[in-house]
Amino acid sequence: MEGMTSCILCKRGCRVDRNLRAGRCGETSTIVAARAALHMWEEPCISGREGSGAVFFSGCPLGCVFCQNRSIALGKAGRAISPERLVEIFLELEDQGANNINLVTPTQFVPQIIFAVREARSRGLAVPIVYNTGSYETRETIRRLDGTVDIFLPDMKYFDPELAERYSHAPDYFDTAMAAVEEMVRISGDPMFNEKGMMVRGTIVRHMILPGHTKDSKRILKELYTSFGDHIYISIMNQYTPMEGIEHAYPELGRRVTRREYNRVLDYALSLGIENAFMQEGGTASDSFIPAFDCEGV
């Protein structure tokens, strides 16, 4: 597969020949997916009533210590599939009524995804393609998605390089992610919605607040709004759920975000003038956001 012989899809730039062995993401050039099903827990304009057709890929370039999808990020769940099977999965999800095809943690399989989307569209796939990413990829990788992806759903995890190093071993995370998001906004253009209120084009940048780190969250919101204004939506999330045992190595991450912390960040967003935003209701931090990675639909 093109781009796999010396892989530089993500910012790790491991240059591994993934036709022969796994790269830094933990995956070879063979697609591995852990779930393909209707998903109800995205932003309202992504899931809607019918659900988003989420395909959860195994492996991850980032490897955050608090990852809620850790079993697949570490490659401990999933099934190997061919690009042709991925085409069929896209069409099956559309037949089930999915509002879009939602590619979750897709960076390590970008060339295969481009092929599969092209083939699926030639067979009638009509729903938008959502690229749901941790944002640790190169600008060049995002540029390759022009003409393939309609909606970008990137994370913006950290502003502080020390936090990014501690939790993801990626001190250059913010600069990398901002460059990627700039390219995403260029490709997607301003947000567009259909008559049902579902997004058909655009970029929604997600930020999940971490316990004890509201100052970092505020810096992120300020940078996003200063850079992109109303050309993007910002999803401010309180759903952080501590994984079992994380408090032993990272005591500060052993609790959920308090209502006071979340409200403090929301108030700051309002003070900046942010209007294109999604907010979560209290009590959303629960295991319901973590689906079973049992290879359903794969």
Side-chain angles (χ1 to χ4, degrees), residues 246-266:
I246 195 170
E247 69 277 4
H248 300 308
Y250 304 92
E252 71 278 16
L253 297 181
R255 66 172 177 86
R256 294 178 177 177
V257 173
T258 66
R259 179 171 295 182
R260 182 180 180 183
E261 286 175 316
Y262 188 57
N263 287 340
R264 192 180 300 154
V265 176
L266 293 184

Side-chain angles (χ1 to χ4, degrees), residues 19-290:
N19 296 302
L20 302 177
R21 61 186 178 92
R24 176 65 173 78
C25 60
E27 299 299 324
T28 67
S29 60
T30 300
I31 304 168
V32 181
R35 181 180 175 87
L38 297 179
H39 192 65
M40 304 297 178
W41 300 303
E42 308 288 27
E43 287 73 11
C45 65
I46 300 295
S47 289
R49 292 184 177 181
E50 299 81 4
S52 178
V55 183
F56 290 85
F57 294 98
S58 297
C60 179
L62 207 48
C64 305
V65 299
F66 53 81
C67 181
Q68 295 178 343
N69 295 347
R70 196 158 181 78
S71 62
I72 60 170
L74 294 176
K76 294 182 178 179
R79 177 180 296 160
I81 60 173
S82 66
E84 291 74 20
R85 174 58 189 148
L86 188 58
V87 173
E88 293 171 354
I89 287 171
F90 292 166
L91 295 170
E92 289 166 6
L93 288 170
E94 184 180 40
D95 286 344
Q96 292 170 32
N99 287 302
N100 44 62
I101 302 300
N102 186 351
L103 310 168
V104 185
T105 321
T107 309
Q108 60 275 15
F109 298 119
V110 160
Q112 297 91 329
I113 286 168
I114 293 171
F115 166 83
V117 171
R118 185 184 303 119
E119 289 298 308
R121 283 177 172 160
S122 74
R123 292 169 55 179
L125 182 74
V127 294
I129 303 298
V130 180
Y131 189 82
N132 187 337
T133 174
S135 307
Y136 200 58
E137 51 256 286
T138 65
R139 187 187 289 268
E140 290 72 23
T141 295
I142 300 302
R143 192 172 293 136
R144 293 176 67 174
L145 296 167
D146 197 349
T148 296
V149 171
D150 305 291
I151 301 167
F152 290 94
L153 199 56
D155 291 338
M156 188 61 68
K157 296 179 183 291
Y158 324 100
F159 178 84
D160 186 343
E162 292 185 6
L163 284 183
E165 170 63 25
R166 177 166 171 77
Y167 298 146
S168 297
H169 303 293
D172 60 346
Y173 175 83
F174 181 76
D175 290 341
T176 297
M178 281 294 284
V181 171
E182 286 176 5
E183 196 66 23
M184 295 175 193
V185 174
R186 183 193 68 78
I187 291 170
S188 70
D190 287 353
M192 295 177 59
F193 302 84
N194 65 17
E195 66 282 356
K196 294 167 51 181
M198 301 302 300
M199 181 174 273
V200 294
R201 290 197 69 83
T203 298
I204 303 174
V205 181
R206 288 172 158 175
H207 172 63
M208 184 175 72
I209 302 167
L210 294 175
H213 294 304
T214 56
K215 288 183 179 179
D216 200 65
S217 295
K218 292 176 181 179
R219 292 294 301 272
I220 287 171
L221 295 182
K222 183 176 181 180
E223 292 292 330
L224 286 174
Y225 192 59
T226 299
S227 298
F228 304 111
D230 294 329
H231 297 289
I232 64 170
Y233 273 74
I234 301 175
S235 185
I236 306 171
M237 307 167 75
N238 71 346
Q239 70 186 55
Y240 172 76
T241 303
M243 298 293 98
E244 184 178 355
I246 195 170
E247 69 277 4
H248 300 308
Y250 304 92
E252 71 278 16
L253 297 181
R255 66 172 177 86
R256 294 178 177 177
V257 173
T258 66
R259 179 171 295 182
R260 182 180 180 183
E261 286 175 316
Y262 188 57
N263 287 340
R264 192 180 300 154
V265 176
L266 293 184
D267 289 343
Y268 183 74
L270 292 173
S271 74
L272 289 173
I274 295 174
E275 295 182 355
N276 288 355
F278 294 101
M279 297 168 282
Q280 291 184 318
E281 300 292 335
T284 54
S286 72
D287 290 341
S288 65
F289 282 93
I290 308 172

